[in-house]
Amino acid sequence: MKNKWIFIISIIFFGTIMRSTFTTLPVVANDIANSLHIPLDQLGLLTSIPLVAFALVSPFVSKITDKFSIEKTLAFALVAVLLGSFVRIFNAPSLMLGTALIGVGIAFINVLLPAAIFEYAPDKIGPYTGIYSTLLMIMTSAFQIIAVPVANKVNWQGLVLLVTVVVLLSLVTWLLNIKINVTVAPSQPQAHEHKPVTINPWTNKYAWMLLIIAGLQSAIFYSLIAWMSVIAQRTGVSGSQSGLLVGLLSMVGIPFGMIIPNFISNSSFKTRRNAMIFACVLWILGLAMMNNHHISFVLWLVISSVLGAVGSIMFIYVITSYATRTKNPQESAALSGMAQSGGYLIACLIPWLYGLIFGMTQNWYAQNIIFILMLVVMIVLIYFFEREKTIFD
């Protein structure tokens, strides 16, 4: 790599836009609904459309990348996100179309960023993964915090344009990285030619294990993000306090963003196995503590901290495994595409089912018991997934 700093800056921008591009607007959903004269409930699509795109597009990313390169494909993905972000300002159809374009572009970035890190810095997978995973969490929260003040000061379209400018900076930075560090990949031309024929994660049992782990982790975490506020208020917590709990659920994982990738990439498989199983046990304890109709705000702070920390740790474990458990960028992209496709398909459905059962029973006990059983399955899968060899050996 000729200039590592331009690559690091690119990673920082990727982390900045990977979630904030579609998680910011739901915060000002009321403003959007009033401005475009559409029902508020339709704006739930602003979150679900990208998740569906992740599930549908991810399996094809590796094959498309084989025809071009990681660098060019990521550039095209950023163009899609840029166009999608900009067109959202015009009307309701363009808002949905733009959100879909963002989902497609981010799906490519989700899959290819671990592979790009593997290609550019195979000896720095942990630190570089830590950079973008930490920025992802920080900037998701930061844009949600500034969303209402910016929309009040200007309007929600001004908020969209602010996000769009950040995406443009990300594209410019990545194009500079391609121009400066373009000589990174030529040493592996033969790998690009015949690796795609032999890499088929859909027939690999360890890849399937990671897919299920990724799916269950996302399903539980997104369900908690969607329903914790409602559940907390049912136990006597005020609306403002419940909002603080959801914010804490997202923010508490930030310190782990720089720690966990290094830990995972530098630890033995037995150490990783034990640590992740212990994290799942903590998750079980947190969910068990939720199954109570009389929870004080102080106890809710503990529960939210535990669930948020473990959810972030498991997410980082999954995305770091795409690189640490493979031997080259092509294997990493293939594994990432498969795991994210199935994982986000599960993540799309479970929060909705959680709410459906909630509406039928008016409590959350059955859902949390199901989540505990899902975590038992995760523990078993992690035990067999972690081994000395890489996935495709």
Side-chain angles (χ1 to χ4, degrees), residues 80-339:
V81 176
L82 180 65
L83 292 175
S85 183
F86 177 70
V87 302
R88 290 181 295 177
I89 65 174
F90 297 111
N91 51 46
S94 70
L95 174 65
M96 298 304 171
L97 174 63
T99 302
L101 274 174
I102 288 171
V104 171
I106 298 296
F108 276 82
I109 296 170
N110 285 340
V111 172
L112 293 180
L113 194 52
I117 290 172
F118 198 148
E119 181 176 276
Y120 279 79
D123 58 336
K124 299 286 186 181
I125 290 173
Y128 286 8
T129 302
I131 289 172
Y132 89 79
S133 62
T134 302
L135 263 295
L136 185 153
M137 289 182 279
I138 290 175
M139 298 311 295
T140 297
S141 299
F143 272 94
Q144 288 173 334
I145 290 169
I146 69 170
V148 172
V150 171
N152 289 340
K153 186 72 174 178
V154 191
N155 51 39
W156 69 268
Q157 289 95 337
L159 176 65
V160 171
L161 291 175
L162 174 62
V163 174
T164 305
V165 169
V166 178
V167 179
L168 177 61
L169 292 173
S170 181
L171 174 61
V172 170
T173 306
W174 183 247
L175 291 176
L176 285 174
N177 175 72
I178 293 175
K179 183 174 182 179
I180 294 171
N181 293 322
V182 73
T183 56
V184 157
S187 61
Q188 300 177 345
Q190 293 183 340
H192 270 287
E193 289 177 12
H194 58 266
K195 270 290 179 184
V197 179
T198 59
I199 301 172
N200 184 5
W202 296 97
T203 61
N204 185 291
K205 63 182 179 181
Y206 296 103
W208 274 100
M209 290 180 191
L210 188 58
L211 182 154
I212 297 171
I213 292 169
L216 297 182
Q217 175 273 324
S218 296
I220 295 172
F221 190 71
Y222 278 112
S223 296
L224 292 172
I225 288 286
W227 293 101
M228 178 174 281
S229 177
V230 176
I231 293 170
Q233 290 181 56
R234 291 294 180 92
T235 67
V237 171
S238 70
S240 60
Q241 288 176 329
S242 68
L244 177 61
L245 293 173
V246 176
L248 181 62
L249 188 73
S250 301
M251 293 285 289
V252 73
I254 291 173
F256 297 98
M258 294 300 295
I259 299 171
I260 300 301
N262 287 320
F263 169 77
I264 292 171
S265 60
N266 294 322
S267 299
S268 68
F269 78 97
K270 290 182 179 178
T271 302
R272 289 196 305 265
R273 174 195 293 168
N274 293 337
M276 294 307 112
I277 288 175
F278 178 70
C280 287
V281 171
L282 288 179
W283 219 348
I284 289 173
L285 291 176
L287 289 168
M289 286 191 290
M290 281 180 63
N291 274 17
N292 190 332
H293 257 91
H294 304 285
I295 306 175
S296 68
F297 179 63
V298 173
L299 182 55
W300 264 118
L301 289 174
V302 175
I303 292 172
S304 182
S305 297
V306 170
L307 295 177
V310 177
S312 298
I313 288 169
M314 294 307 300
F315 166 70
I316 296 167
Y317 168 67
V318 169
I319 63 173
T320 307
S321 294
Y322 299 145
T324 58
R325 299 304 310 281
T326 53
K327 299 190 296 293
N328 56 58
Q330 292 73 43
E331 287 186 356
S332 176
L335 175 64
S336 179
M338 174 196 174

